[in-house]
Amino acid sequence: MAIRLSVENISKSFGARKVITDLSFTIAAPGALGIIGRNGSGKTTLLKLLCHLYRPTRGRIEMMRDDNEIKREDFFYHIKMVSPELALYQMLTGLENLRFFATVSGVEFSRPVLEETLDRVGLTGRGNDRVETYSAGMKQRLKYALSLLTSPPVLLLDEPTANLDDTGRKIAFEIMRQQREKRILVIATNEPEDLQNIEQIINLDN
Amino acid sequence: MNRSSTWITKAAAVFTKDLRCELRTRYSLTTLAMFAFTTLVVVSFSVGQGGLSPRVQAALFWIIVFFSAMSSLAGAFVKEEDTGTAQTLRLYASAPVVYAGKLLFNMLLLFLLSLLVTPLYIIFMNITQVNWAILAAVIALGVVGLAGATTIIGAIVAQAGVRGALLAVLSFPVLLPLLVLAINGTTAAFDMSGWTNAIDSIRLLAAYGVIMITASSVLFEFIWNG
Amino acid sequence: MVRTLLQFGLFLLLAAVICFSFITPAPQQQIGEASRIFYYHIPMAWVTVLAYLINLIYSIRYLKTRAVLDDWRALWSAEIGTVFCLLATLSGAIFAKVTWGVYWNWSEPRMLSIFMLLLIYGAYLSLRAALANPERKGLLSAVYAIFAFPAVPFFVFVFPRITESLHPAESVLDKNLEMQMSGPVLWIFLLSLFCFTALFFWIFSLGNRLQRLRLAVNGGA
């Protein structure tokens, strides 16, 4: 099941302001792509375009599985994004958030599996606390737990190590390594450290 | 160990998620209850003792329900947009699932509202004779239609920057047929004229609900997926 | 050249409609002179419905094409429609005052449906004003237009059935409105209908041309 994400001549403007102009690239699994550029250069916009949260003004974004295009209604099963802009439910606990998002995306997990996932991101024992009590770094870890649970063929990371301490970074790098070696990883970042072992890089400043 | 979830479990998950968040803040419920209670008191205080005709009593009842509903029915979507969870939800849940969950949640809110308002209204307004079966049928169908029409408008309003009274402005023309039918049916329940006068309104209310929910579930796809 | 001739022709025809509507005998004897408003009121109501139908068509089209121009056409026809809707409501109220003695009569389905249209498209325009992002504006207002429109036929067909039981006496008034549409009355009426329709399409195409030029200028810059 070779997944391929191909982007053909996409442009995106918000009203009169052009953010992305005529961008094309392809990534095939296993593989990784880094997106760099100064603040406001459109990194997050590009990620949101890739996962269809935004619609491109011009151009096409396709996901192919063995040369068959994945239909729009199945698209979201194949791609997930972790970003500071994509929030979790403050009023729910960590475990409830995990269970909710996993269930609506199609899989129901038993409690031990959910707790084990929390252990893997270093949130042991905090699963029954509401997310509103979490620090920024803990929220980021919880989002990684969610991406571990759903293990999407394409994972988009927006500033993957922002707000994380050293152990948090290690967890993030481990997730990035696994994703890169088996599936497709796309990172938008300004941290050179995040881009280790990634050959394909797009600079949005040019 | 890991089961794949069906359409129903997904929609139920959205519904219980909203219910759980609501029970922890009680924001919508208290707003709704206080709004309904205030308008109810104002209405009964000013005109409750005079012998109003059943038609006027029915009209005042639905005006209270309509404006109370407008105070918090957009909440289910507004909260998602304001806290930034809407985009996350978009990545994980499909449009029909979200629509069904939110629709159920709004129906529950309206059902609780009518449970609160109806007995208080009948007591405060000194309504002595009520055909309960007709009243229950009209309110139940009215709640379904009201939720069916306003859920999608709530989703539209949630994306606007300036919200204010937008929900009421957008909903009113769409809800006007429902209000007329519901007032007609409720009049029949208050003046004891029996089912022959109410049955037309009840049938049309049911049709209205079906039309609104069908149209919404088709159009919601566009709102949700952009 | 052809365009100028057509525009001049429309001017002449409209002028003819205005002249004939006043120099011929009043179309309805019981109402008398005031019944001449009928030559203007009904075409305006017709243009209102036509404009809103065009809004509906372009709203549906926008959901498919997502073309800026389709959104603009939907908006522009809704705006023209609202102007005609206001005029039709006002002239209708005057007409009602003369024939029934009241400016407004809630049990008259035609008045109700035009009032519904005014409410829906007033709401449509205020929704557009409240949305900032142009794409969301196009999408959400298109969805609203499609969602709200079915309320109108629901009202037109359902409402009379219910109100008849309430105000049986008032439906008698309708009989006063029946007119003998024959001879010059029919011809002037049809000509007026044609002129108003042509006027609408002219205004509509002017707006579209303007918007296309605007897009070309902004796109080239």
Side-chain angles (χ1 to χ4, degrees):
Chain A
M1 51 161 262
I3 296 270
R4 195 157 51 85
L5 188 66
S6 73
V7 169
E8 289 168 38
N9 297 316
I10 55 161
S11 303
K12 174 72 186 173
S13 34
F14 294 101
R17 194 166 56 87
K18 283 185 182 166
V19 183
I20 287 166
T21 341
D22 273 339
L23 193 66
S24 304
F25 58 84
T26 313
I27 336 161
L33 171 75
I35 301 163
I36 57 172
R38 62 191 151 68
N39 299 137
S41 59
K43 297 191 293 295
T44 307
T45 305
L46 179 54
L47 291 188
K48 286 188 179 173
L49 282 167
L50 289 182
C51 64
H52 286 198
L53 281 180
Y54 288 158
R55 181 183 276 263
T57 314
R58 261 193 297 278
R60 286 164 60 83
I61 297 170
E62 285 175 342
M63 208 193 295
M64 317 281 282
R65 176 196 289 274
D66 303 327
D67 295 323
N68 297 317
E69 190 182 347
I70 291 170
K71 276 185 249 127
R72 204 177 153 79
E73 53 265 35
D74 298 331
F75 193 85
F76 285 127
Y77 291 114
H78 293 84
I79 195 162
K80 289 290 175 283
M81 175 172 171
V82 173
S83 163
E85 288 193 19
L86 301 181
L88 301 168
Y89 290 98
Q90 302 275 328
M91 280 297 139
L92 299 182
T93 67
L95 275 174
E96 284 166 349
N97 264 296
L98 285 189
R99 174 173 291 141
F100 170 70
F101 281 114
T103 306
V104 292
S105 77
V107 200
E108 287 177 85
F109 291 98
S110 61
R111 199 179 168 95
V113 177
L114 296 175
E115 277 174 351
E116 187 202 310
T117 317
L118 283 181
D119 292 346
R120 283 174 69 188
V121 297
L123 287 175
T124 315
R126 295 302 301 274
N128 288 320
D129 294 339
R130 287 191 197 171
V131 170
E132 61 179 343
T133 66
Y134 283 21
S135 70
M138 290 169 71
K139 283 179 195 156
Q140 183 77 354
R141 288 177 184 218
L142 189 58
K143 289 176 192 170
Y144 279 122
L146 193 52
S147 70
L148 280 173
L149 266 185
T150 46
S151 59
V154 180
L155 180 63
L156 314 176
L157 300 180
D158 189 10
E159 301 182 38
T161 52
N163 298 320
L164 290 176
D165 56 16
D166 279 344
T167 34
R169 272 165 205 266
K170 281 202 190 91
I171 294 162
F173 286 139
E174 179 55 23
I175 289 171
M176 283 150 70
R177 189 185 59 79
Q178 284 181 8
Q179 184 73 24
R180 189 175 70 222
E181 287 174 357
K182 291 180 199 148
R183 299 179 284 262
I184 294 179
L185 173 70
V186 181
I187 304 178
T189 186
N190 278 318
E191 300 278 333
E193 202 191 346
D194 297 347
L195 296 168
Q196 284 168 4
N197 305 311
I198 293 178
E199 295 90 38
Q200 203 179 349
I201 286 178
I202 290 176
N203 188 344
L204 288 179
D205 288 343
N206 306 328
Chain B
M1 188 175 66
N2 305 331
R3 292 180 295 134
S4 60
S5 41
T6 62
W7 192 89
I8 306 268
T9 22
K10 290 181 195 175
V14 174
F15 171 72
T16 39
K17 184 270 298 173
D18 273 349
L19 185 61
R20 196 171 272 155
C21 289
E22 178 53 39
L23 289 176
R24 287 178 190 171
T25 56
R26 297 199 194 85
Y27 178 73
S28 301
L29 280 175
T30 34
T31 318
L32 201 58
M34 283 317 293
F35 207 101
F37 194 69
T38 315
T39 39
L40 188 64
V41 168
V42 170
V43 166
S44 68
F45 186 74
S46 49
V47 293
Q49 303 309 314
L52 297 178
S53 72
R55 172 150 287 272
V56 175
Q57 286 171 339
L60 287 173
F61 175 80
W62 282 98
I63 289 172
I64 294 173
V65 171
F66 172 76
F67 281 103
S68 311
M70 290 304 114
S71 75
S72 48
L73 273 199
F77 283 105
V78 167
K79 232 180 296 162
E80 302 265 9
E81 293 290 336
D82 284 354
T83 54
T85 50
Q87 295 201 16
T88 324
L89 191 57
R90 218 161 265 160
L91 280 183
Y92 285 87
S94 62
V97 166
V98 176
Y99 178 72
K102 299 280 181 191
L103 177 68
L104 278 179
F105 180 70
N106 278 345
M107 278 183 191
L108 177 75
L109 277 185
L110 283 175
F111 179 69
L112 292 176
L113 172 78
S114 57
L115 272 190
L116 171 80
V117 171
T118 317
L120 286 179
Y121 188 79
I122 286 170
I123 293 167
F124 282 167
M125 300 294 281
N126 268 330
I127 297 170
T128 45
Q129 43 181 2
V130 178
N131 186 330
W132 290 100
I134 294 179
L135 188 65
V138 170
I139 291 179
L141 289 171
V143 160
V144 171
L146 203 57
T150 42
T151 302
I152 192 171
I153 298 178
I156 292 175
V157 168
Q159 304 207 4
V162 198
R163 285 169 198 139
L166 203 54
L167 181 68
V169 170
L170 296 186
S171 301
F172 184 63
V174 181
L175 285 178
L176 211 51
L178 173 117
L179 291 175
V180 170
L181 294 171
I183 290 169
N184 235 37
T186 311
T187 310
F190 286 165
D191 67 10
M192 303 303 281
S193 56
W195 285 93
T196 38
N197 276 4
I199 198 70
D200 254 10
S201 303
I202 289 173
R203 278 202 197 112
L204 288 167
L205 270 177
Y208 178 90
V210 171
I211 292 170
M212 284 301 149
I213 292 172
T214 317
S216 300
S217 43
V218 174
L219 289 170
F220 186 72
E221 198 91 32
F222 291 100
I223 300 180
W224 194 244
N225 292 333
Chain C
M1 186 59 199
V2 180
R3 186 183 279 154
T4 325
L5 274 177
L6 284 176
Q7 285 164 7
F8 197 67
L10 181 61
F11 167 75
L12 282 182
L13 281 179
L14 262 171
V17 168
I18 294 169
C19 289
F20 282 121
S21 72
F22 283 100
I23 58 172
T24 52
Q28 217 278 344
Q29 294 313 312
Q30 276 157 291
I31 304 167
E33 293 300 313
S35 64
R36 295 185 198 279
I37 202 171
F38 144 92
Y39 291 127
Y40 303 97
H41 172 67
I42 292 175
M44 282 189 285
W46 152 249
V47 169
T48 306
V49 175
L50 181 69
Y52 288 152
L53 273 175
I54 286 175
N55 165 277
L56 185 68
I57 291 165
Y58 278 110
S59 295
I60 294 170
R61 237 181 85 138
Y62 178 78
L63 290 185
K64 284 206 185 111
T65 62
R66 302 301 167 97
V68 189
L69 214 54
D70 282 338
D71 181 39
W72 162 261
R73 287 184 184 123
L75 168 66
W76 182 229
S77 56
E79 282 176 337
I80 305 172
T82 305
V83 172
F84 277 94
C85 191
L86 275 171
L87 290 173
T89 314
L90 282 176
S91 54
I94 296 168
F95 206 5
K97 178 73 182 167
V98 174
T99 48
W100 298 327
V102 286
Y103 283 110
W104 200 261
N105 180 0
W106 284 116
S107 60
E108 158 64 43
R110 275 160 294 192
M111 291 190 109
L112 243 158
S113 47
I114 206 143
F115 180 72
M116 284 285 291
L117 284 174
L118 205 53
L119 278 183
I120 290 174
Y121 287 91
Y124 172 87
L125 294 174
S126 47
L127 173 65
R128 294 192 69 101
L131 293 164
N133 177 339
E135 282 169 35
R136 301 310 289 173
K137 187 184 284 207
L139 177 69
L140 294 175
S141 55
V143 167
Y144 181 73
I146 298 167
F147 184 66
F149 200 83
V152 179
F154 197 89
F155 231 62
V156 176
F157 297 116
V158 168
F159 196 74
R161 250 180 90 182
I162 292 172
T163 44
E164 219 148 324
S165 59
L166 295 172
H167 313 281
E170 271 163 343
S171 58
V172 182
L173 289 171
D174 267 0
K175 287 187 183 124
N176 289 340
L177 268 180
E178 274 173 28
M179 296 191 204
Q180 303 297 314
M181 290 266 272
S182 59
V185 177
L186 183 66
W187 282 111
I188 299 168
F189 172 69
L190 287 179
L191 189 63
S192 173
L193 205 58
F194 170 79
C195 285
F196 270 90
T197 313
L199 186 67
F200 164 75
F201 280 111
W202 184 32
I203 300 173
F204 186 62
S205 69
L206 274 180
N208 288 339
R209 255 170 76 203
L210 186 66
Q211 186 64 9
R212 263 201 297 274
L213 289 174
R214 253 187 228 144
L215 283 175
V217 169
N218 288 343

